[in-house]
Amino acid sequence: MKDHYQPFLIGSQFRVLPPDCPVPQDDKINLLMERGAFGSGEHETTDSCLKCLEQLPLSGNEKILDLGSGTGILALAALRLGGGHVWCIDIDAGAVQTCRTNCRLNQLGPQVDHLCGTLDDLTTGDFDLVLANIYGDILLQVAKQLVEKTRSGGLLLLSGILWEYNFDVRQTYARLGCEVLENRMLSEFSTVLLKKT
Amino acid sequence: MTPAVSILLPVRNEEQHLPATLRSLQRQTLGDWELIAVDDGSQDQTPKILAAAAATDDRIRLFRQPPQGLVAALNFGLDKCRAAFVARIDGDDIAHPQRLALQLAALQQDPTLTLVASRVRHFPRPQLQGGMHAYERWQNSHLQHADIMRDLYVESPFAHPSVMYRRQVILACGGYRDAGWAEDYDLWLRLALQGERFERLPQTLLYWRDRPERLTRTAENCTLEAFRACKAHYLRQDVLAATKQVTLWGAGQEGKAWRKALQKQQIEVGCWIDIDRNKIGQTIHHARVLSPDQYRAKDKILVTVGAKGARQLIRDWCRENRLLEGQDFLCVT
């Protein structure tokens, strides 16, 4: 079932709107999404992630991983910002289906691979950019795998990290050879941008 | 200059998590604080971590002593605190950046408040056991003084590292005591006994680290038996002052354990109330087990039933029978 929702702005450059909504012609990047509803925390952390993503130089050749892709908003945004190809993974089959639909709605289907599962199921690696907007405890659990999937010099944009996990996440990824480039503390969540050295 | 808040941190062997705790304090929106770090005989890198932090942040004051235990470290640290308001924290917890500011504002705005806690959230949560989830929910549901007082003998109402209090009141009350049970619950009950007022802020300002070796699980003074002894000790001076006989609601294991704890306070069980048909009519330790309908005695009732939902049903029954909570009956489990 499609959710009916009002278009909203997110990040500094994006507007999310339902598929049947007239698309405004302005300087915003429009993302058509079947489901626009986020929980309040999820909205905050997605917003933060997008703002961080907007600052990254994307050339069109990047190999991007979106772990816990959900609706696919980060993957879509990364592609709209000029990213190359995204591998979306989510453990939830419903989320994968929604993500697939959203990619198609935005005519970005060919640039996205979908996988229902975990990092264990992902056969490719050497990602230039890893996006993971998932809980901090999961980020800690998958830290080693996630860093291994990233090429040297690649970036990891981690969000959805509750305050209490922020330090542990930064410390864990730093010990795995990552350098913290940015640490955004939000009202309840945090976003961390790292570079694998 | 006297800081606005002293943060009291007794610590031993916390090298793994202490850096995160310190960072969370240094991120506070209220910067006018001092940290009184009492290293209680650590054998790991804890003293080095604290010394390094103190070298770059003159708000951090480090004191080292041979291992003397938590109560001694708390009292030693409390004596070193210079501010009128003291916030507690442990060496593995994380404070929300607004914790000090919000708690200080609450205490400053209401001079009748002695202690302000906050909601807490355990972490990490994947391995968090059901009991701790329930305790967290229970604790977080009690915000106002009256709610806290109503359930004061059910459980310890505050996570120790989540509180900020008025230093002078705590000192006047005797500080921390080693009485064979949890030193924090002992303090809350002593404060309550002398009529101090409490409040919990609705914000989650303390992230409470859960791990297998946590003192709450391992310390001898945190056993259920120690908690019962503590409650009985203070009930004797509070609701049960001059009481020689009570009714216990709940004739199961918990009720029987309560009978023992009360006996040490020279309080006998006159009769039991239970809804279990197998128990009704029995005599347990010279006292009859009655159904609620059979009950006619006028003794004070201690409710020792902690099963989910049961406490509220018993409360409803007591109210229907015009019994006043805190006076005629009290939930203690």
Side-chain angles (χ1 to χ4, degrees), chain A residues 163-165 167-168 170 188, chain B residues 20 27 97 121 124 207 209:
Chain A
W163 261 88
E164 58 265 40
Y165 292 102
F167 189 91
D168 289 355
R170 283 186 291 128
E188 195 177 3
Chain B
R27 278 195 202 121
R121 185 164 68 218
Y207 306 114
R209 196 182 291 271

Side-chain angles (χ1 to χ4, degrees), chain A residues 137 141 162-168 170-171 183 185 187-188, chain B residues 16 19-20 23 27 94 96-97 121 123-126 207 209:
Chain A
D137 48 356
Q141 281 171 18
L162 285 164
W163 261 88
E164 58 265 40
Y165 292 102
N166 177 272
F167 189 91
D168 289 355
R170 283 186 291 128
Q171 190 179 56
N183 184 36
M185 304 302 286
S187 64
E188 195 177 3
Chain B
Q16 191 183 352
R23 288 298 301 274
R27 278 195 202 121
I94 308 281
H96 185 277
R121 185 164 68 218
F123 80 104
R125 295 185 86 80
Y207 306 114
R209 196 182 291 271

